[in-house]
Coordinates of all heavy atoms in Angstrom, one line a residue:
S1 N 23.3 -16.4 52.0 CA 23.8 -15.1 51.7 C 22.9 -14.4 50.6 O 22.9 -13.2 50.6 CB 25.2 -15.2 51.2 OG 25.3 -15.9 50.0
V2 N 22.2 -15.2 49.8 CA 21.4 -14.5 48.8 C 20.3 -13.7 49.4 O 20.1 -12.5 49.0 CB 20.8 -15.6 47.8 CG1 19.8 -15.0 46.8 CG2 22.0 -16.3 47.1
P3 N 19.5 -14.2 50.4 CA 18.5 -13.3 51.0 C 19.1 -12.0 51.6 O 18.5 -11.0 51.5 CB 17.9 -14.2 52.0 CG 18.1 -15.6 51.6 CD 19.4 -15.5 50.9
F4 N 20.3 -12.2 52.2 CA 20.9 -11.0 52.7 C 21.3 -10.0 51.7 O 21.1 -8.8 51.8 CB 22.2 -11.4 53.5 CG 22.9 -10.3 54.1 CD1 22.4 -9.6 55.2 CD2 24.1 -9.9 53.6 CE1 23.1 -8.6 55.8 CE2 24.8 -8.9 54.2 CZ 24.3 -8.2 55.3
L5 N 21.8 -10.4 50.5 CA 22.2 -9.5 49.5 C 20.9 -8.9 48.8 O 20.9 -7.7 48.5 CB 22.9 -10.3 48.4 CG 24.4 -10.7 48.7 CD1 25.0 -11.5 47.6 CD2 25.2 -9.5 49.0
I6 N 19.8 -9.6 48.7 CA 18.6 -9.1 48.2 C 18.0 -8.0 49.2 O 17.5 -7.0 48.7 CB 17.6 -10.2 47.9 CG1 18.0 -11.0 46.8 CG2 16.2 -9.6 47.7 CD1 17.2 -12.3 46.5
R7 N 18.2 -8.3 50.4 CA 17.7 -7.3 51.4 C 18.5 -6.0 51.4 O 18.0 -4.9 51.5 CB 17.8 -7.9 52.8 CG 17.4 -7.0 53.9 CD 15.9 -6.9 53.9 NE 15.5 -6.1 55.1 CZ 14.5 -5.3 55.2 NH1 13.7 -5.2 54.1 NH2 14.2 -4.7 56.3
L8 N 19.8 -6.1 51.1 CA 20.7 -4.9 51.0 C 20.5 -4.2 49.7 O 20.6 -3.0 49.6 CB 22.1 -5.3 51.1 CG 22.6 -5.7 52.5 CD1 24.1 -6.1 52.5 CD2 22.5 -4.5 53.4
F9 N 20.3 -5.0 48.6 CA 20.1 -4.4 47.3 C 18.8 -4.9 46.6 O 18.9 -5.8 45.7 CB 21.3 -4.8 46.4 CG 22.7 -4.5 47.0 CD1 23.4 -5.5 47.6 CD2 23.1 -3.2 47.1 CE1 24.6 -5.2 48.2 CE2 24.4 -2.9 47.7 CZ 25.1 -3.9 48.2
P10 N 17.7 -4.3 46.9 CA 16.4 -4.8 46.4 C 16.3 -4.5 44.9 O 15.6 -5.3 44.2 CB 15.4 -3.9 47.1 CG 16.1 -2.8 47.7 CD 17.5 -3.2 47.9
S11 N 17.1 -3.6 44.3 CA 17.0 -3.4 42.9 C 17.6 -4.6 42.1 O 17.2 -4.8 40.9 CB 17.8 -2.1 42.5 OG 19.1 -2.2 42.8
V12 N 18.5 -5.3 42.7 CA 19.0 -6.5 42.1 C 17.9 -7.6 41.9 O 17.9 -8.2 40.8 CB 20.2 -7.1 42.9 CG1 20.6 -8.5 42.4 CG2 21.3 -6.1 43.0
L13 N 17.0 -7.7 42.8 CA 15.9 -8.6 42.7 C 15.1 -8.3 41.5 O 14.7 -9.2 40.7 CB 15.1 -8.6 44.0 CG 13.9 -9.5 44.0 CD1 14.3 -11.0 43.8 CD2 13.0 -9.3 45.2
T14 N 14.7 -7.0 41.3 CA 13.8 -6.7 40.2 C 14.5 -6.9 38.9 O 13.9 -7.3 37.9 CB 13.4 -5.2 40.3 OG1 14.5 -4.4 40.3 CG2 12.5 -5.0 41.5
K15 N 15.8 -6.7 38.8 CA 16.6 -7.0 37.6 C 16.5 -8.4 37.2 O 16.4 -8.8 36.1 CB 18.1 -6.5 37.7 CG 18.2 -5.1 37.9 CD 18.1 -4.4 36.5 CE 18.4 -2.9 36.7 NZ 17.8 -2.1 35.7
F16 N 16.7 -9.3 38.2 CA 16.7 -10.8 37.9 C 15.4 -11.4 37.8 O 15.2 -12.4 37.1 CB 17.6 -11.5 38.9 CG 19.0 -11.3 38.7 CD1 19.8 -10.4 39.6 CD2 19.7 -11.8 37.7 CE1 21.1 -10.2 39.4 CE2 21.0 -11.6 37.4 CZ 21.8 -10.8 38.3
V17 N 14.3 -10.8 38.4 CA 13.0 -11.3 38.2 C 12.4 -10.9 36.8 O 11.9 -11.8 36.1 CB 12.1 -10.8 39.3 CG1 10.6 -11.1 39.0 CG2 12.5 -11.4 40.6
F18 N 12.6 -9.7 36.5 CA 12.0 -9.2 35.2 C 12.9 -9.3 34.0 O 12.5 -9.3 32.9 CB 11.5 -7.8 35.4 CG 10.4 -7.6 36.4 CD1 10.6 -7.0 37.6 CD2 9.2 -8.2 36.2 CE1 9.6 -6.9 38.6 CE2 8.2 -8.2 37.2 CZ 8.4 -7.5 38.3
L19 N 14.2 -9.3 34.2 CA 15.2 -9.4 33.2 C 15.0 -8.3 32.1 O 15.2 -8.6 30.9 CB 15.2 -10.8 32.5 CG 15.6 -11.9 33.5 CD1 15.4 -13.3 32.8 CD2 17.0 -11.8 34.0
N20 N 14.6 -7.1 32.5 CA 14.4 -6.1 31.5 C 15.6 -5.5 30.9 O 15.5 -4.6 30.0 CB 13.5 -5.0 32.1 CG 14.1 -4.4 33.3 OD1 15.2 -4.7 33.7 ND2 13.4 -3.4 33.9
F21 N 16.8 -6.0 31.2 CA 18.0 -5.5 30.6 C 18.4 -6.4 29.4 O 19.4 -6.0 28.7 CB 19.2 -5.4 31.7 CG 19.4 -6.7 32.3 CD1 20.4 -7.6 31.8 CD2 18.8 -7.1 33.5 CE1 20.6 -8.8 32.4 CE2 19.0 -8.3 34.1 CZ 20.0 -9.2 33.6
L22 N 17.7 -7.5 29.2 CA 18.0 -8.3 28.1 C 17.1 -8.0 26.9 O 15.9 -7.8 27.1 CB 17.8 -9.8 28.4 CG 18.7 -10.4 29.4 CD1 18.3 -11.8 29.7 CD2 20.1 -10.4 28.9
A23 N 17.6 -8.0 25.7 CA 16.9 -7.8 24.5 C 17.0 -9.1 23.7 O 18.0 -9.5 23.3 CB 17.4 -6.7 23.7
F24 N 15.9 -9.8 23.6 CA 15.9 -11.1 23.0 C 14.9 -11.1 21.8 O 13.8 -10.6 22.0 CB 15.5 -12.2 23.9 CG 15.7 -13.6 23.4 CD1 16.9 -14.2 23.3 CD2 14.6 -14.3 22.9 CE1 17.1 -15.4 22.7 CE2 14.7 -15.5 22.3 CZ 16.0 -16.1 22.3
P25 N 15.2 -11.6 20.7 CA 16.3 -12.3 20.2 C 17.5 -11.4 20.1 O 17.4 -10.2 19.7 CB 16.0 -13.0 18.9 CG 14.9 -12.2 18.4 CD 14.2 -11.6 19.6
F26 N 18.7 -11.9 20.3 CA 19.9 -11.1 20.3 C 20.2 -10.7 18.8 O 19.9 -11.4 17.9 CB 21.1 -11.8 20.8 CG 20.9 -12.3 22.2 CD1 20.8 -13.7 22.5 CD2 20.8 -11.4 23.3 CE1 20.6 -14.1 23.8 CE2 20.5 -11.8 24.6 CZ 20.4 -13.2 24.8
F27 N 20.7 -9.5 18.6 CA 21.1 -9.0 17.3 C 20.0 -8.8 16.3 O 20.2 -8.7 15.1 CB 22.2 -9.8 16.7 CG 23.3 -10.1 17.6 CD1 23.6 -11.4 18.0 CD2 24.2 -9.1 18.0 CE1 24.6 -11.7 18.9 CE2 25.2 -9.4 18.9 CZ 25.5 -10.6 19.3
A28 N 18.7 -8.7 16.8 CA 17.6 -8.4 16.0 C 17.4 -6.9 15.9 O 17.5 -6.2 16.9 CB 16.3 -9.1 16.5
D29 N 17.0 -6.4 14.7 CA 16.8 -5.0 14.5 C 15.3 -4.8 14.6 O 14.5 -5.0 13.7 CB 17.3 -4.5 13.1 CG 17.2 -3.0 12.9 OD1 16.8 -2.3 13.9 OD2 17.5 -2.6 11.8
F30 N 14.9 -4.3 15.8 CA 13.4 -4.1 16.1 C 12.8 -2.9 15.4 O 11.6 -2.7 15.4 CB 13.2 -4.1 17.6 CG 13.4 -5.4 18.3 CD1 14.6 -5.6 19.0 CD2 12.5 -6.4 18.1 CE1 14.8 -6.8 19.6 CE2 12.7 -7.6 18.7 CZ 13.9 -7.8 19.5
R31 N 13.7 -2.1 14.8 CA 13.2 -0.9 14.0 C 12.7 -1.4 12.6 O 12.1 -0.6 11.9 CB 14.3 0.1 13.9 CG 14.7 0.8 15.3 CD 15.9 1.6 15.1 NE 17.0 0.6 14.8 CZ 18.2 1.0 14.6 NH1 18.6 2.2 14.6 NH2 19.1 0.1 14.3
R32 N 13.0 -2.6 12.2 CA 12.6 -3.1 10.9 C 11.8 -4.4 11.2 O 12.3 -5.5 10.9 CB 13.9 -3.4 10.1 CG 14.8 -2.3 9.9 CD 14.8 -1.7 8.6 NE 14.2 -2.4 7.5 CZ 14.9 -2.8 6.4 NH1 16.1 -2.4 6.2 NH2 14.2 -3.4 5.5
P33 N 10.6 -4.2 11.6 CA 9.7 -5.4 11.9 C 9.4 -6.3 10.7 O 9.1 -7.5 10.9 CB 8.5 -4.8 12.6 CG 8.4 -3.5 12.0 CD 9.8 -3.0 11.8
E34 N 9.4 -5.7 9.6 CA 9.1 -6.5 8.4 C 10.1 -7.6 8.1 O 9.7 -8.6 7.4 CB 9.0 -5.6 7.1 CG 10.3 -4.9 6.7 CD 10.6 -3.6 7.4 OE1 9.8 -3.2 8.4 OE2 11.5 -3.0 7.1
L35 N 11.2 -7.5 8.7 CA 12.2 -8.6 8.6 C 11.9 -9.8 9.6 O 12.3 -10.9 9.4 CB 13.6 -8.1 8.9 CG 14.1 -7.0 8.0 CD1 15.5 -6.5 8.5 CD2 14.2 -7.5 6.6
L36 N 11.1 -9.5 10.6 CA 10.7 -10.5 11.6 C 9.3 -11.0 11.5 O 9.0 -12.2 11.7 CB 10.9 -9.9 13.0 CG 12.3 -9.4 13.4 CD1 12.2 -8.6 14.7 CD2 13.2 -10.6 13.5
V37 N 8.4 -10.1 11.1 CA 6.9 -10.4 11.1 C 6.4 -9.9 9.7 O 6.6 -8.8 9.4 CB 6.2 -9.8 12.2 CG1 4.7 -10.2 12.2 CG2 6.8 -10.2 13.6
N38 N 5.6 -10.8 9.0 CA 5.1 -10.3 7.7 C 4.0 -9.3 7.9 O 3.3 -9.3 9.0 CB 4.4 -11.5 7.0 CG 5.5 -12.5 6.5 OD1 6.6 -12.1 6.3 ND2 5.1 -13.8 6.4
N39 N 3.9 -8.4 7.0 CA 2.8 -7.3 6.9 C 2.8 -6.5 8.2 O 1.8 -6.1 8.8 CB 1.4 -8.0 6.8 CG 1.4 -8.9 5.6 OD1 1.9 -8.7 4.6 ND2 0.7 -10.1 5.8
T40 N 4.0 -6.0 8.6 CA 4.2 -5.2 9.8 C 5.0 -4.0 9.5 O 5.9 -4.1 8.7 CB 4.9 -6.1 10.9 OG1 4.1 -7.2 11.1 CG2 5.0 -5.3 12.2
I41 N 4.7 -2.9 10.2 CA 5.4 -1.7 10.0 C 5.6 -1.0 11.4 O 4.8 -1.2 12.3 CB 4.7 -0.7 9.0 CG1 5.6 0.5 8.6 CG2 3.4 -0.2 9.6 CD1 5.1 1.3 7.5
S42 N 6.7 -0.3 11.5 CA 7.0 0.4 12.8 C 6.5 1.8 12.7 O 6.8 2.5 11.8 CB 8.5 0.3 13.1 OG 8.8 1.0 14.3
L43 N 5.7 2.2 13.7 CA 5.2 3.6 13.7 C 5.5 4.2 15.1 O 5.8 3.5 16.1 CB 3.7 3.6 13.5 CG 3.1 3.0 12.2 CD1 1.6 2.9 12.3 CD2 3.5 3.9 11.1
H44 N 5.4 5.5 15.2 CA 5.5 6.2 16.5 C 4.3 7.1 16.6 O 3.9 7.9 15.7 CB 6.8 7.0 16.5 CG 8.0 6.2 16.5 ND1 8.6 5.7 15.4 CD2 8.8 5.7 17.6 CE1 9.7 5.0 15.7 NE2 9.8 5.0 17.0
L45 N 3.7 7.0 17.8 CA 2.5 7.8 18.2 C 2.9 8.8 19.2 O 3.6 8.5 20.2 CB 1.4 7.0 18.7 CG 0.9 5.9 17.7 CD1 -0.2 5.0 18.4 CD2 0.3 6.5 16.5
T46 N 2.4 10.1 19.1 CA 2.6 11.0 20.2 C 1.4 11.0 21.0 O 0.3 11.4 20.5 CB 2.9 12.4 19.6 OG1 4.0 12.4 18.7 CG2 3.1 13.5 20.7
T47 N 1.5 10.5 22.2 CA 0.3 10.4 23.1 C 0.0 11.7 23.8 O -1.2 12.0 24.1 CB 0.5 9.3 24.1 OG1 1.7 9.6 24.9 CG2 0.7 8.0 23.4
E48 N 1.0 12.4 24.2 CA 0.8 13.7 24.8 C 2.1 14.5 24.6 O 3.1 13.9 24.1 CB 0.5 13.6 26.3 CG 1.6 12.9 27.1 CD 1.2 12.7 28.5 OE1 0.1 12.1 28.8 OE2 1.9 13.1 29.4
P49 N 2.2 15.8 24.8 CA 3.4 16.6 24.5 C 4.6 16.0 25.2 O 4.6 15.7 26.4 CB 3.1 18.0 25.0 CG 1.6 18.1 24.9 CD 1.1 16.7 25.2
G50 N 5.6 15.7 24.5 CA 6.9 15.1 25.0 C 6.9 13.6 25.2 O 7.9 13.1 25.7
V51 N 5.8 12.9 24.9 CA 5.7 11.5 25.1 C 5.4 10.8 23.7 O 4.4 11.0 23.1 CB 4.6 11.0 26.1 CG1 4.6 9.5 26.2 CG2 4.9 11.7 27.4
T52 N 6.4 10.0 23.3 CA 6.2 9.3 22.0 C 6.3 7.8 22.3 O 7.2 7.3 23.0 CB 7.3 9.7 21.0 OG1 7.2 11.1 20.8 CG2 7.1 9.0 19.7
V53 N 5.4 7.0 21.7 CA 5.3 5.6 21.9 C 5.6 4.9 20.6 O 4.9 5.2 19.6 CB 3.9 5.2 22.5 CG1 3.8 3.7 22.7 CG2 3.7 5.9 23.8
G54 N 6.5 4.0 20.6 CA 6.8 3.2 19.4 C 5.8 2.0 19.3 O 5.6 1.3 20.3
I55 N 5.3 1.7 18.2 CA 4.3 0.6 18.0 C 4.7 -0.2 16.7 O 5.3 0.4 15.8 CB 2.9 1.1 17.9 CG1 2.6 1.9 16.7 CG2 2.4 1.8 19.2 CD1 1.2 2.1 16.3
W56 N 4.2 -1.4 16.7 CA 4.2 -2.1 15.4 C 2.8 -2.3 15.0 O 1.9 -2.7 15.8 CB 4.8 -3.5 15.6 CG 6.3 -3.6 15.7 CD1 7.2 -2.5 15.6 CD2 7.1 -4.7 15.8 NE1 8.4 -3.0 15.7 CE2 8.4 -4.3 15.8 CE3 6.8 -6.1 16.0 CZ2 9.5 -5.2 15.9 CZ3 7.8 -7.0 16.1 CH2 9.2 -6.5 16.1
H57 N 2.5 -2.0 13.8 CA 1.1 -2.3 13.2 C 1.2 -3.5 12.3 O 1.9 -3.4 11.3 CB 0.6 -1.0 12.5 CG -0.7 -1.2 11.9 ND1 -1.0 -0.7 10.7 CD2 -1.8 -2.0 12.2 CE1 -2.3 -1.0 10.4 NE2 -2.7 -1.8 11.3
T58 N 0.5 -4.5 12.7 CA 0.5 -5.8 11.9 C -1.0 -5.9 11.4 O -1.9 -6.0 12.2 CB 0.9 -7.0 12.7 OG1 2.2 -6.7 13.3 CG2 0.9 -8.2 11.9
V59 N -1.1 -6.1 10.1 CA -2.4 -6.3 9.5 C -2.7 -7.8 9.6 O -1.8 -8.6 9.5 CB -2.6 -5.8 8.1 CG1 -2.5 -4.3 8.1 CG2 -1.6 -6.4 7.2
P60 N -4.0 -8.2 9.7 CA -4.3 -9.6 9.7 C -3.9 -10.3 8.4 O -3.8 -9.7 7.4 CB -5.8 -9.7 10.0 CG -6.3 -8.3 9.6 CD -5.2 -7.4 9.7
G61 N -3.8 -11.6 8.5 CA -3.5 -12.4 7.3 C -4.4 -12.3 6.2 O -4.0 -12.4 5.0
S62 N -5.7 -12.0 6.5 CA -6.7 -11.9 5.4 C -6.4 -10.6 4.6 O -6.9 -10.6 3.4 CB -8.1 -11.8 6.0 OG -8.2 -10.7 6.9
R63 N -5.7 -9.7 5.1 CA -5.3 -8.5 4.3 C -3.9 -8.5 3.9 O -3.4 -7.5 3.5 CB -5.6 -7.2 5.2 CG -7.1 -7.1 5.5 CD -7.4 -5.8 6.2 NE -7.3 -4.7 5.2 CZ -7.4 -3.4 5.6 NH1 -7.6 -3.1 6.8 NH2 -7.3 -2.4 4.7
G64 N -3.2 -9.6 4.1 CA -1.8 -9.7 3.8 C -1.4 -9.4 2.4 O -0.5 -8.7 2.1
A65 N -2.2 -10.0 1.5 CA -1.9 -9.8 0.0 C -2.1 -8.3 -0.3 O -1.4 -7.7 -1.1 CB -2.8 -10.6 -0.8
E66 N -3.1 -7.7 0.3 CA -3.4 -6.2 0.0 C -2.2 -5.4 0.5 O -1.9 -4.3 0.0 CB -4.7 -5.9 0.7 CG -5.1 -4.5 0.4 CD -6.4 -4.1 1.2 OE1 -7.0 -5.0 1.9 OE2 -6.8 -3.0 1.2
A67 N -1.6 -5.8 1.6 CA -0.6 -5.0 2.3 C 0.8 -5.1 1.6 O 1.7 -4.3 1.9 CB -0.4 -5.4 3.8
Q68 N 1.0 -6.1 0.8 CA 2.3 -6.3 0.1 C 2.7 -5.0 -0.6 O 2.0 -4.5 -1.5 CB 2.3 -7.5 -0.8 CG 2.1 -8.8 -0.2 CD 3.3 -9.1 0.7 OE1 4.4 -8.9 0.4 NE2 3.0 -9.7 1.9
G69 N 3.9 -4.5 -0.3 CA 4.5 -3.4 -1.0 C 3.9 -2.0 -0.7 O 4.3 -1.0 -1.3
K70 N 3.0 -2.0 0.3 CA 2.4 -0.7 0.7 C 3.4 0.1 1.6 O 4.2 -0.4 2.3 CB 1.1 -0.9 1.4 CG 0.1 -1.7 0.6 CD -0.3 -0.9 -0.6 CE -1.4 -1.7 -1.4 NZ -1.9 -1.1 -2.6
D71 N 3.2 1.4 1.6 CA 4.0 2.3 2.4 C 3.3 2.6 3.7 O 2.2 2.1 4.0 CB 4.3 3.6 1.7 CG 3.0 4.4 1.3 OD1 1.9 3.9 1.5 OD2 3.2 5.5 0.8
Q72 N 3.9 3.5 4.5 CA 3.4 3.8 5.9 C 2.1 4.4 5.8 O 1.2 4.2 6.7 CB 4.4 4.7 6.6 CG 4.0 5.1 8.0 CD 5.0 5.9 8.7 OE1 6.2 5.9 8.4 NE2 4.6 6.7 9.7
R73 N 1.8 5.3 4.8 CA 0.5 5.9 4.7 C -0.6 4.9 4.6 O -1.7 5.0 5.2 CB 0.5 6.8 3.5 CG -0.8 7.6 3.3 CD -0.7 8.6 2.2 NE -2.0 9.2 2.0 CZ -2.3 9.8 0.9 NH1 -1.5 9.9 -0.1 NH2 -3.5 10.3 0.7
W74 N -0.4 3.8 3.8 CA -1.5 2.8 3.7 C -1.8 2.1 5.1 O -2.9 1.9 5.4 CB -1.0 1.7 2.7 CG -2.1 0.7 2.5 CD1 -3.1 0.7 1.6 CD2 -2.3 -0.5 3.2 NE1 -3.9 -0.4 1.7 CE2 -3.4 -1.2 2.7 CE3 -1.6 -1.1 4.3 CZ2 -3.9 -2.4 3.2 CZ3 -2.1 -2.4 4.8 CH2 -3.2 -3.0 4.2
Y75 N -0.7 1.9 5.9 CA -0.9 1.3 7.2 C -1.6 2.2 8.1 O -2.5 1.8 8.9 CB 0.4 0.9 7.8 CG 1.0 -0.4 7.2 CD1 1.7 -0.5 6.0 CD2 0.7 -1.6 7.8 CE1 2.2 -1.6 5.5 CE2 1.2 -2.8 7.3 CZ 2.0 -2.8 6.2 OH 2.5 -4.0 5.7
E76 N -1.3 3.5 8.0 CA -2.0 4.5 8.9 C -3.5 4.6 8.5 O -4.4 4.7 9.4 CB -1.4 5.8 8.8 CG 0.0 5.9 9.4 CD 0.7 7.2 9.2 OE1 0.3 8.0 8.3 OE2 1.8 7.3 9.7
E77 N -3.8 4.5 7.2 CA -5.2 4.5 6.8 C -5.9 3.2 7.2 O -7.1 3.2 7.5 CB -5.3 4.7 5.3 CG -4.9 6.1 4.8 CD -4.8 6.3 3.3 OE1 -5.0 5.3 2.6 OE2 -4.5 7.4 2.9
A78 N -5.2 2.1 7.2 CA -5.8 0.8 7.6 C -6.2 0.9 9.1 O -7.1 0.2 9.5 CB -4.8 -0.3 7.4
L79 N -5.5 1.7 9.9 CA -5.9 1.8 11.3 C -7.2 2.6 11.5 O -7.9 2.4 12.5 CB -4.8 2.6 12.1 CG -3.6 1.8 12.5 CD1 -2.5 2.7 13.0 CD2 -3.9 0.7 13.5
A80 N -7.5 3.4 10.5 CA -8.7 4.3 10.6 C -9.9 3.7 10.0 O -11.0 4.2 10.1 CB -8.4 5.6 9.9
D81 N -9.8 2.5 9.4 CA -11.0 1.9 8.7 C -11.9 1.2 9.8 O -11.6 1.3 11.0 CB -10.7 0.9 7.6 CG -9.9 -0.3 8.1 OD1 -9.8 -0.5 9.3 OD2 -9.3 -1.0 7.2
A82 N -12.9 0.5 9.4 CA -13.9 0.0 10.3 C -13.5 -1.3 11.0 O -14.2 -1.8 11.8 CB -15.2 -0.2 9.6
H83 N -12.4 -1.8 10.6 CA -11.9 -3.1 11.2 C -11.5 -2.9 12.7 O -10.9 -1.8 13.0 CB -10.7 -3.7 10.4 CG -11.1 -4.1 9.1 ND1 -11.1 -3.3 8.0 CD2 -11.5 -5.3 8.6 CE1 -11.5 -4.0 6.9 NE2 -11.7 -5.2 7.3
P84 N -11.7 -3.9 13.6 CA -11.3 -3.7 15.0 C -9.8 -3.7 15.1 O -9.1 -4.3 14.3 CB -11.9 -4.9 15.7 CG -12.1 -5.9 14.6 CD -12.4 -5.1 13.3
V85 N -9.3 -3.0 16.1 CA -7.9 -3.0 16.4 C -7.6 -3.6 17.8 O -8.3 -3.4 18.7 CB -7.4 -1.5 16.5 CG1 -6.0 -1.4 16.9 CG2 -7.6 -0.8 15.2
I86 N -6.7 -4.5 17.8 CA -6.3 -5.2 19.0 C -5.0 -4.7 19.5 O -4.0 -4.6 18.7 CB -6.2 -6.8 18.8 CG1 -7.5 -7.3 18.4 CG2 -5.6 -7.5 20.1 CD1 -7.5 -8.8 17.9
I87 N -4.9 -4.2 20.7 CA -3.7 -3.7 21.3 C -3.1 -4.7 22.2 O -3.7 -5.2 23.2 CB -4.0 -2.4 22.1 CG1 -4.5 -1.3 21.1 CG2 -2.7 -1.9 22.8 CD1 -5.0 -0.1 21.8
Y88 N -1.9 -5.1 21.9 CA -1.2 -6.1 22.7 C 0.0 -5.4 23.5 O 0.9 -4.9 22.9 CB -0.6 -7.2 21.8 CG 0.3 -8.2 22.5 CD1 -0.2 -9.0 23.5 CD2 1.7 -8.2 22.2 CE1 0.7 -9.9 24.1 CE2 2.5 -9.1 22.9 CZ 2.0 -9.9 23.8 OH 2.8 -10.8 24.4
L89 N -0.1 -5.4 24.8 CA 0.9 -4.9 25.6 C 1.9 -6.0 26.0 O 1.5 -6.9 26.8 CB 0.3 -4.2 26.8 CG -0.8 -3.1 26.5 CD1 -1.5 -2.6 27.7 CD2 -0.1 -2.0 25.7
H90 N 3.1 -5.9 25.5 CA 4.0 -7.0 25.6 C 4.7 -7.2 26.9 O 5.3 -8.2 27.2 CB 5.1 -6.9 24.5 CG 5.8 -5.6 24.6 ND1 6.9 -5.4 25.5 CD2 5.7 -4.5 24.0 CE1 7.3 -4.2 25.4 NE2 6.7 -3.6 24.5
G91 N 4.7 -6.2 27.8 CA 5.4 -6.3 29.1 C 6.5 -5.3 29.3 O 6.4 -4.2 28.7
N92 N 7.5 -5.6 30.0 CA 8.5 -4.7 30.5 C 9.8 -4.9 29.9 O 10.8 -4.4 30.4 CB 8.5 -4.7 32.0 CG 9.0 -6.0 32.5 OD1 9.1 -7.0 31.8 ND2 9.4 -6.0 33.7
G93 N 10.0 -5.6 28.8 CA 11.3 -5.9 28.3 C 12.0 -4.8 27.6 O 13.2 -4.9 27.3
G94 N 11.3 -3.7 27.2 CA 11.9 -2.6 26.6 C 12.1 -2.7 25.1 O 12.6 -1.8 24.5
T95 N 11.6 -3.8 24.5 CA 11.6 -3.9 23.1 C 10.3 -4.3 22.6 O 9.4 -4.8 23.3 CB 12.6 -5.0 22.6 OG1 12.2 -6.3 23.2 CG2 14.0 -4.7 23.1
R96 N 10.1 -4.1 21.3 CA 8.8 -4.6 20.8 C 8.9 -6.0 20.2 O 8.1 -6.5 19.7 CB 8.4 -3.6 19.7 CG 7.9 -2.3 20.3 CD 7.6 -1.3 19.2 NE 8.7 -0.4 19.1 CZ 8.9 0.4 18.1 NH1 8.1 0.4 17.1 NH2 9.9 1.2 18.1

């Protein structure tokens, strides 16, 4: 009966394969990444009119001591310096 149900409702298959309706870990506040990951701040970038993308900016451990107690402006300036930036695309879970 499972193949028959999947044939009738293909959207059910995508929900159970990708599980994008789950936010894990449960009860975590993803708007405050500094509680989960050291030297991290939550930012929002406007990529085009009407489209805003939320990101976490994490500085490497070698700059961790320098990042302690800094505000959002410092993290934005750190993105513009000569250090390389690695972009990690986490998938389709809907959370960072």
Side-chain angles (χ1 to χ4, degrees):
S1 67
V2 172
F4 179 71
L5 289 174
I6 291 172
R7 179 74 172 148
L8 285 178
F9 307 104
S11 63
V12 172
L13 177 65
T14 59
K15 293 282 187 207
F16 286 106
V17 169
F18 297 113
L19 297 176
N20 58 358
F21 58 90
L22 291 178
F24 187 79
F26 304 113
F27 309 112
D29 186 4
F30 291 105
R31 294 169 294 178
R32 305 254 342 237
E34 64 275 6
L35 300 175
L36 301 169
V37 182
N38 291 333
N39 309 320
T40 302
I41 192 169
S42 182
L43 301 171
H44 290 86
L45 301 176
T46 302
T47 58
E48 59 186 56
V51 177
T52 302
V53 178
I55 65 165
W56 282 2
H57 177 214
T58 304
V59 295
S62 61
R63 296 186 72 185
E66 182 184 357
Q68 292 295 322
K70 301 296 183 181
D71 61 354
Q72 181 174 337
R73 183 175 173 198
W74 183 88
Y75 281 86
E76 290 172 354
E77 290 173 358
L79 282 172
D81 64 12
H83 292 88
V85 175
I86 298 171
I87 299 174
Y88 171 68
L89 304 173
H90 59 79
N92 63 345
T95 61
R96 287 178 257 161

